């Protein structure tokens, strides 16, 4: 081949390639400019968050679950399967606060069939949709591109028709099955119901919506269901009409609320009405056999009393005329506070006078009080974003015990409950993997991030630091600040700082000097909690983060309120406001007296002392334990064992802290000891040390067992709930460590039970 010919062909190829490259560059530039134009008319999205250029103010939602009450048998012998499908129409009315040509909202696993957009003027104007994009990622965004922009200050409506699939797990809109027994016909029928569980981000799986907590709206709901079933929703029933096999049940508008509180159920359940509230109609729904058996009477009774208490305590009435409680057979969570329609896991709320323990009432009343508290903390006043979910859950946990102490004063659960919450929080917060109560907003974006926050830190630590703050401010001042918070932010979405401002206003009104924000931000914005170490010979005190792996370094420190008492002086309040060691005169043992910090254990921290003060405290417990407050008797044991676990004190000290139990009859110290000694029992049960350990525990528990023997031998239980827990502890520790009297009692009871239950093997 001639060389000249090759050069000519090469030149032609280069020219063609150059043309393509130039054309490509021009195309990229055009597309880039188009993208820039699009970005100029559309607010740039933060990661995983909706823009705030469109704000919803109301929805009209029609939903139809295609659900049979039971699987039907056809004439040819085949069964009709549940379709698990639902369809609906959602009309959202929204306000445009910033000009945009794109509508962003949430939709998850829904098939959208129609998307008309209307400008809401006297004369409705339809807007054309140019494109719809569904994000196949954790954002669940649905983007609707319009041919013309939405104008600032105008109102619009978006009507969406859709189909979806009901879940068989209790998330989103799901189907639940239960068995109904007809003893006369000897027939066991499987019944079905539909229910919702939307917290935190599953409303978008039921209908397209602006599914973020600060995008509150009013909901007008209609449920289409088979006419042999009953529909419930957030609001009271407005009307119902039958059309063939279907019923249309409409509900009065809800208060302005977040999407995760939207709820409805379709079932054949029956109800009873509470008679303990005069103004709000409270109904408790359950399976017919549960209702007729009277198993929901206690839940119905106590619900009215709790709601009435909260209305008086908060100074804000419940915002709807009705409140429904419904007991669902297989709800994954134990309770969900949907506004006006609270759902519960059935097994937790049942109480049978014949077989239930009195302690079962404690579980029921605490759970109902928690969900009732949410009608204010979470429903009426909702955190702005999920990173501050502790403002919902911490408050509901704290306030539930305030209510229980009022409606069931004989339970005397305040101290026991808060110690349980404190223990739960400490266990998680002493690990490097813990997180702050108020993590940075940018770190909580996806549904996975949000769900991780529903843990013991949010619930138990949240309640514990509120209890510490209330003790420091004074219960009455704290109460006034909380009432202001609920009043000022009704139907709104405050942030943590708004709570501090309301509490600070109460401090100022009371002529106090507490700087609430400065005190509390170290507890909510940081991970973990401190251990304070006190040298009672010098009065020196310092703090560090408590970790089971004590070799880990941490620079964090806290503003710590500390209540201190001694064998010669009543409790006084001091503050530790630095990381460096400081000296406090109140902490000096001037005449050999013991010093006790964190009186009544209201503070969220552990305490260590110099060896001499530990010795004085433990000696006091053995000589006259009643000079040490009851809660602190449990605290000293719990702190000693956990400090030993972190290698801050010797294990011998921890074991010595249980010596006084030989004469102790109160539940709190025994609970702390048995829980912490479980590790030693498990470690030594197959070693030579297990025998001496059993002998020690047998000797220690003997007096406690005898203290309750009059009840135990007569098959009776004490009246107070703390004593009931104490009786259980006495029997458990005594029998597991082979105390002869306990073994004899257990054998007798078992023999009598065997004799009276001839069908026990069936």
């Amino acid at each position: 081949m001639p060389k000249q010919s090759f050069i000519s062909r090469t030149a032609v190829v280069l020219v063609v390639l150059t043309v393509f490259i130039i054309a490509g560059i021009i195309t990229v530039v055009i597309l880039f400019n188009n993208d820039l134009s699009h970005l100029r008319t559309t607010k740039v999205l933060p990661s995983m968050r909706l823009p705030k250029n469109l704000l919803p103010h109301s929805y009209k939602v029609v939903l139809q679950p295609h659900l049979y009450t039971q699987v039907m048998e056809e004439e040819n012998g085949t069964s009709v399967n549940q379709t698990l499908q639902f369809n609906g129409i959602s009309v959202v009315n929204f306000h445009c606060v910033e000009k945009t040509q794109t509508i962003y909202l949430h939709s998850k696993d829904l098939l959208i069939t129609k998307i008309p957009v209307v400008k809401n003027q006297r004369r409705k104007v339809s807007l054309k949709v140019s494109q719809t994009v569904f994000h196949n990622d954790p954002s669940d965004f649905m983007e609707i591109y319009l041919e013309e922009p939405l104008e600032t200050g105008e109102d619009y409506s978006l009507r969406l028709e859709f189909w979806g699939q009901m879940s068989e797990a209790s998330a989103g809109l799901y189907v639940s099955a239960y068995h109904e027994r007809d003893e006369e016909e000897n027939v066991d029928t499987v019944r079905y119901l539909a229910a919702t569980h939307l917290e935190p981000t599953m409303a978008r799986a039921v209908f397209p919506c602006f599914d973020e907590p600060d995008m509150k709206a009013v909901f007008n709901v209609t449920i289409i269901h088979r006419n042999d079933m009953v529909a419930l929703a957030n609001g009271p029933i407005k009307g119902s009409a039958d059309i063939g096999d279907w019923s249309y049940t409409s509900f009065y508008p809800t208060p302005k609320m977040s999407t995760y509180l939207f709820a409805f159920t379709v079932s054949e359940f029956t109800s009873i009405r509470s008679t303990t509230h005069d103004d709000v109609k409270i109904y408790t729904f359950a399976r017919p056999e549960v209702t007729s058996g009277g198993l929901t009477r206690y839940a119905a009774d106590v619900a009215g009393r709790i709601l009435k208490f909260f209305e008086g305590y908060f100074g804000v009435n419940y915002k709807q005329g009705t409140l429904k409680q419904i007991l669902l057979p297989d709800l994954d969570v134990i309770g969900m506070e949907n506004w006006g329609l609270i759902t519960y896991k059935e097994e937790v709320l049942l109480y049978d006078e014949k077989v239930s323990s009195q302690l079962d009432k404690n579980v029921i009343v605490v759970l109902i009080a928690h969900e009732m508290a949410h009608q204010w903390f979470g429903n009426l006043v909702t955190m702005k974003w999920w990173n501050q979910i502790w403002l919902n859950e911490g408050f509901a946990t704290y306030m539930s015990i305030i209510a229980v102490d009022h409606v069931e004063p004989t339970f005397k659960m305040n101290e026991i409950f808060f110690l349980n919450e404190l223990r739960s929080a400490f266990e998680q917060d002493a690990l490097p993997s813990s997180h702050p109560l108020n993590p940075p907003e940018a770190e909580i974006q996806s549904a996975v991030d949000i769900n991780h926050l529903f843990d013991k830190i949010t619930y138990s630590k949240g309640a514990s630091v509120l209890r510490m703050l209330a003790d420091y401010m004074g219960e009455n001042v704290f109460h006034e600040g909380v009432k202001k918070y609920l009043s000022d932010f009704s139907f709104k979405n405050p942030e943590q700082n708004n709570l501090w401002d309301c509490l600070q206003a109460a401090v100022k009104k009371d002529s106090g000097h507490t700087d609430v924000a400065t005190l509390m931000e170290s507890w909510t914005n940081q991970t973990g909690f401190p251990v304070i170490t006190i040298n009672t010979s010098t009065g020196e005190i310092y703090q560090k983060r408590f970790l089971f792996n004590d070799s880990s370094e941490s620079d964090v420190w806290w503003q710590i309120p500390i209540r201190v008492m001694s064998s010669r002086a009543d409790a006084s309040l001091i503050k530790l406001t630095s990381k460096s060691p400081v000296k406090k005169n109140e902490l000096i043992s001037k005449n050999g007296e013991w010093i006790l910090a964190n009186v009544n254990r209201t503070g969220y921290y552990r305490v260590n002392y110099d060896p001499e003060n530990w010795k004085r405290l433990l000696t006091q417990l053995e000589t006259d334990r009643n000079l040490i407050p009851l809660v602190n008797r449990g605290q000293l044991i719990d702190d000693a064992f956990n400090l030993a676990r972190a290698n801050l004190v010797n294990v011998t000290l921890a074991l010595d802290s249980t010596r006084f139990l030989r004469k102790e009859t109160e539940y709190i110290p025994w609970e702390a000891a048995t829980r912490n000694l479980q590790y030693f029992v498990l470690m030594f049960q197959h070693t030579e040390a297990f025998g001496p350990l059993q002998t020690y525990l047998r000797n220690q528990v003997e007096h406690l067992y005898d203290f309750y023997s009059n009840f135990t031998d007569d098959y009776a239980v004490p009246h107070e709930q703390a004593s009931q827990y104490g009786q259980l502890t006495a029997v458990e520790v005594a029998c597991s460590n082979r105390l002869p009297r306990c073994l004899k009692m257990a054998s007798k009871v078992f023999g009598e039970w065997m004799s009276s239950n001839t069908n026990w093997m069936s």
Side-chain angles (χ1 to χ4, degrees):
M1 179 181 292
K3 186 175 182 181
Q4 180 63 43
S5 173
F6 174 77
I7 294 174
S8 299
R9 291 176 183 174
T10 303
V12 171
V13 171
L14 288 174
V15 169
V16 172
L17 286 174
T18 302
V19 171
F20 274 114
I21 291 170
I22 293 172
I25 292 172
I26 292 171
T27 301
V28 170
V29 169
I30 291 172
L31 291 173
F32 180 71
N33 286 333
N34 286 342
D35 285 344
L36 283 179
S37 176
H38 172 68
L39 289 172
R40 291 189 192 104
T41 58
T42 304
K43 186 173 181 178
V44 178
L45 280 171
S47 175
M48 307 291 291
R49 298 289 297 278
L50 292 177
K52 296 299 187 282
N53 48 14
L54 304 175
L55 297 179
H57 52 79
S58 68
Y59 291 82
K60 291 182 180 178
V61 181
V62 179
L63 289 163
Q64 181 179 18
H66 295 262
L67 180 73
Y68 293 99
T69 61
Q70 63 185 96
V71 175
M72 307 297 292
E73 296 293 332
E74 294 186 341
E75 292 182 1
N76 61 5
T78 60
S79 62
V80 178
N81 291 324
Q82 298 285 7
T83 65
L84 297 182
Q85 290 184 333
F86 69 93
N87 66 294
I89 301 171
S90 171
V91 180
V92 55
N93 301 297
F94 57 88
H95 185 72
C96 180
V97 296
E98 184 179 336
K99 185 176 181 179
T100 180
Q101 205 163 330
T102 308
I103 300 173
Y104 286 92
L105 69 162
H106 292 105
S107 177
K108 181 179 177 65
D109 301 328
L110 297 175
L111 175 62
I112 311 295
T113 58
K114 292 184 180 180
I115 314 175
V117 181
V118 175
K119 186 175 183 180
N120 293 338
Q121 297 177 321
R122 289 184 179 178
R123 182 180 178 184
K124 303 291 185 182
V125 179
S126 296
L127 305 179
K128 291 184 178 180
V129 175
S130 62
Q131 185 183 11
T132 303
V133 177
F134 295 89
H135 286 233
N136 187 23
D137 59 41
S139 72
D140 297 324
F141 286 148
M142 173 184 178
E143 295 181 66
I144 302 172
Y145 295 94
L146 305 173
E147 291 188 357
E148 57 184 287
L150 305 176
E151 298 295 336
T152 302
E154 296 292 337
D155 289 325
Y156 298 86
S157 64
L158 170 64
R159 186 179 189 274
L160 298 165
E161 297 183 24
F162 53 90
W163 283 82
Q165 191 82 359
M166 289 183 280
S167 169
E168 294 184 80
S170 58
L173 173 56
Y174 70 96
V175 173
S176 176
Y178 62 93
H179 291 265
E180 184 179 83
R181 182 70 179 169
D182 187 333
E183 296 294 347
E184 292 184 2
E185 299 292 333
N186 195 27
V187 175
D188 193 17
T189 304
V190 179
R191 298 285 183 180
Y192 295 89
L193 64 90
T196 56
H197 180 73
L198 307 186
E199 188 180 36
T201 59
M202 288 300 288
R204 64 194 67 173
V206 179
F207 60 100
C209 56
F210 296 86
D211 196 14
E212 294 189 359
D214 64 339
M215 303 187 88
K216 290 187 172 185
V218 173
F219 293 83
N220 300 269
V221 180
T222 297
I223 304 298
I224 304 174
H225 55 93
R226 300 194 185 277
N227 53 24
D228 53 356
M229 306 182 86
V230 175
L232 304 174
N234 300 91
I237 292 177
K238 185 177 182 181
S240 183
D242 291 349
I243 302 177
D245 293 335
W246 297 93
S247 290
Y248 289 66
T249 301
S250 61
F251 298 86
Y252 283 102
T254 70
K256 186 179 179 183
M257 69 181 194
S258 303
T259 49
Y260 76 89
L261 296 170
F262 180 94
F264 78 93
T265 63
V266 175
S267 72
E268 296 177 276
F269 284 7
T270 55
S271 69
I272 60 172
R273 182 177 171 182
S274 172
T275 59
T276 52
H277 197 292
D278 301 326
D279 301 320
V280 179
K281 297 177 181 178
I282 303 174
Y283 299 94
T284 302
F285 287 80
R287 293 182 292 115
E289 64 181 281
V290 169
T291 302
S292 62
L295 305 185
T296 60
R297 286 175 189 157
Y298 179 70
D301 170 78
V302 80
R305 291 190 282 133
I306 291 171
L307 190 69
K308 183 182 292 186
F309 166 75
F310 276 140
E311 287 182 320
Y313 188 80
F314 297 141
V316 179
N317 286 340
Y318 174 72
K319 295 302 180 183
Q320 299 199 68
T322 64
L323 192 154
K324 287 86 65 182
Q325 303 185 116
I326 185 165
L327 283 61
L328 300 173
D330 56 0
L331 187 65
D332 280 349
V333 298
I334 61 172
M336 176 59 205
E337 65 269 17
N338 314 298
W339 209 345
L341 178 57
I342 303 175
T343 54
Y344 295 99
K345 191 177 185 69
E346 180 190 81
E347 63 188 57
V348 183
L349 235 61
L350 302 182
Y351 184 81
D352 188 340
E353 295 283 353
K354 298 177 182 177
V355 299
S356 298
S357 162
Q358 286 293 315
L359 297 180
D360 292 333
K361 281 188 175 181
N362 171 42
V363 176
I364 294 170
V365 69
V366 170
L367 175 57
I368 291 178
H370 182 99
E371 305 307 336
M372 289 288 186
H374 271 309
Q375 305 303 299
W376 285 265
F377 293 95
N379 299 6
L380 180 65
V381 177
T382 315
M383 77 281 142
K384 186 175 183 181
W385 181 242
W386 295 105
N387 65 309
Q388 295 186 350
I389 185 61
W390 84 272
L391 292 174
N392 285 15
E393 300 298 349
F395 259 113
T397 304
Y398 175 81
M399 290 299 172
S400 65
I401 297 309
I402 304 295
V404 171
D405 261 10
H406 177 82
V407 301
E408 295 288 13
T410 62
F411 287 9
K412 296 186 177 179
M413 285 300 298
N414 188 304
E415 292 175 342
I416 293 175
F417 178 84
F418 278 122
L419 290 178
N420 288 337
E421 295 302 321
L422 191 66
R423 179 193 71 207
S424 297
F426 276 168
E427 288 174 354
Q428 185 171 337
D429 219 11
L431 302 174
S433 58
S434 184
H435 64 84
L437 274 175
N438 178 33
E441 185 175 336
E443 293 181 5
I444 308 301
Q445 296 290 328
S446 70
V448 173
D449 300 331
I450 296 166
N451 279 304
H452 283 165
L453 292 181
F454 287 84
D455 62 5
K456 289 299 183 180
I457 296 300
T458 295
Y459 289 75
S460 301
K461 181 177 181 177
S464 298
V465 299
L466 287 173
R467 178 173 178 251
M468 177 174 66
L469 178 58
D471 177 72
Y472 183 65
M473 292 177 60
E475 295 283 350
N476 292 335
V477 178
F478 180 78
H479 183 196
E480 289 301 314
V482 167
K483 289 199 294 185
K484 179 176 174 58
Y485 174 69
L486 292 174
S487 175
D488 288 359
F489 292 98
S490 292
F491 306 108
K492 298 177 183 176
N493 295 81
E495 298 182 87
Q496 178 177 273
N497 287 338
N498 299 125
L499 172 62
W500 305 153
D501 291 343
C502 291
L503 294 173
Q504 193 65 54
V507 171
K508 183 178 180 181
K509 184 178 178 180
D510 191 58
S511 302
H513 303 287
T514 302
D515 186 336
V516 177
T518 300
L519 172 71
M520 292 305 296
E521 284 181 358
S522 63
W523 296 99
T524 60
N525 296 345
Q526 296 181 157
T527 302
F529 64 93
V531 52
I532 61 171
T533 302
I534 300 171
N535 186 326
T536 59
S537 62
T538 64
E540 186 177 86
I541 180 174
Y542 68 91
Q543 62 171 289
K544 63 181 295 187
R545 181 181 174 186
F546 180 84
L547 290 163
F548 288 129
N549 179 10
D550 195 51
S551 62
S552 301
E553 293 296 327
S554 176
D555 293 327
V556 297
W557 57 277
W558 291 262
Q559 298 259 347
I560 310 176
I562 306 170
R563 290 202 178 274
V564 182
M565 66 177 290
S566 72
S567 51
R568 297 176 183 271
D570 294 333
S572 60
L573 185 64
I574 63 174
K575 279 183 68 179
L576 181 59
T577 58
S578 69
K579 185 181 181 183
S580 302
V582 295
K583 291 186 177 181
K584 301 282 187 180
N585 288 332
E586 297 90 339
L587 302 178
I588 298 175
S589 176
K590 301 179 178 64
N591 297 295
E593 73 270 26
W594 48 260
I595 303 290
L596 178 70
N598 201 5
V599 176
N600 291 323
R601 210 178 190 184
T602 55
Y604 186 70
Y605 52 87
R606 294 199 182 278
V607 185
N608 194 8
Y609 303 97
D610 59 280
E612 284 302 312
N613 195 63
W614 270 114
K615 183 178 179 181
R616 288 191 287 263
L617 284 168
L618 299 189
T619 299
Q620 182 64 68
L621 287 173
E622 290 192 79
T623 54
D624 185 359
R625 66 188 184 283
N626 291 314
L627 291 183
I628 304 288
L630 171 59
V631 173
N632 291 105
R633 304 208 292 268
Q635 175 217 0
L636 288 168
I637 294 173
D638 193 53
D639 279 354
F641 274 92
N642 281 275
L643 292 169
R645 183 176 171 184
N647 295 315
L648 295 177
V649 300
N650 195 287
V651 173
T652 304
L653 172 65
L655 294 172
D656 285 345
S657 71
T658 67
R659 291 199 309 257
F660 78 97
L661 294 176
R662 181 185 292 262
K663 299 179 181 179
E664 181 63 83
T665 57
E666 295 286 351
Y667 168 69
I668 288 175
W670 269 103
E671 189 278 335
T674 54
R675 177 169 39 82
N676 283 289
L677 282 167
Q678 286 176 357
Y679 172 79
F680 290 87
V681 171
L682 291 173
M683 289 297 295
F684 295 145
Q685 63 181 346
H686 299 299
T687 69
E688 294 180 356
F690 188 61
L693 178 61
Q694 271 200 317
T695 300
Y696 174 74
L697 292 175
R698 189 161 57 241
N699 292 335
Q700 296 299 93
V701 79
E702 188 172 8
H703 178 67
L704 181 69
Y705 182 81
D706 290 343
F707 181 79
Y708 288 109
S709 61
N710 287 339
F711 291 103
T712 306
D713 293 343
D714 291 338
Y715 307 155
V717 295
H719 182 63
E720 290 186 359
Q721 293 232 356
S723 296
Q724 293 173 29
Y725 283 114
Q727 182 188 29
L728 290 174
T729 299
V731 173
E732 180 182 357
V733 176
C735 282
S736 63
N737 289 286
R738 307 190 65 79
L739 182 70
R741 295 193 291 284
C742 188
L743 295 178
K744 182 179 179 181
M745 177 276 299
S747 297
K748 177 186 175 185
V749 171
F750 182 72
E752 292 175 354
W753 178 78
M754 289 283 288
S755 299
S756 63
N757 288 271
T758 56
N759 295 322
W760 67 274
M761 288 289 288
S762 59

